Amino acid sequence: MHEMALTQGIIEICEKYAEGKKVSLVEVEIGELSGVVADAVRFCFEACCLGTLLENAMLEIVETAGIGCCLDCKTETRMKTIFDPCSACGGYSISITAGEDMRVLSVEVEDED
Ligand SMILES: [Zn+2]
């Protein structure tokens, strides 16, 4: 399950950002075509956070839609998997333009007082 490694990566980024403060909220973007399962990340997050600055932090996952541009007919097409054909011409020469990434969007840390 590679979500475990990815989740640990998220936590590392947040800890670096937090500089010793407690993290209260983490917002993560997961693209529909990234191959990452949001529920698996949620599950791993809770386990991986124990004993870190992120313990008890909220995890907000923003799922972004997969979008590709057909190289044959230049139509922008909605993709649910990276193997989807163009919705207009049925071609498979598609360049993915959105929804391939997973990244940390924002990190909120608790005020010190
Ligand atoms: Zn097309």
Side-chain angles (χ1 to χ4, degrees):
M1 184 153 82
H2 71 153
E3 275 80 5
M4 184 63 92
L6 289 169
T7 305
Q8 273 161 349
I10 293 172
I11 291 171
E12 271 170 38
I13 290 169
C14 296
E15 285 207 299
K16 210 175 253 182
Y17 176 86
E19 294 177 327
K21 294 179 197 161
K22 276 192 74 70
V23 175
S24 52
L25 178 87
V26 181
E27 202 180 9
V28 175
E29 175 187 286
I30 297 178
E32 200 172 32
L33 306 176
S34 65
V36 179
V37 182
D39 279 344
V41 172
R42 270 191 203 102
F43 180 81
C44 295
F45 186 81
E46 226 164 271
C48 293
C49 281
L50 293 174
T52 73
L53 295 170
L54 283 77
E55 196 169 335
N56 299 322
M58 295 262 299
L59 173 67
E60 242 173 62
I61 292 180
V62 180
E63 288 178 84
T64 51
I67 296 180
C69 183
C70 176
L71 300 176
D72 293 327
C73 71
K74 310 293 177 208
T75 302
E76 200 167 75
T77 187
R78 177 81 169 73
M79 301 175 78
K80 288 207 179 291
T81 76
I82 53 170
F83 306 110
D84 280 359
C86 168
S87 58
C89 73
Y92 283 93
S93 310
I94 295 171
S95 145
I96 294 166
T97 54
E100 253 190 325
D101 305 321
M102 166 169 169
R103 62 196 172 107
V104 176
L105 292 177
S106 66
V107 181
E108 259 175 44
V109 294
E110 283 174 14
D111 287 328
E112 273 176 297
D113 40 55

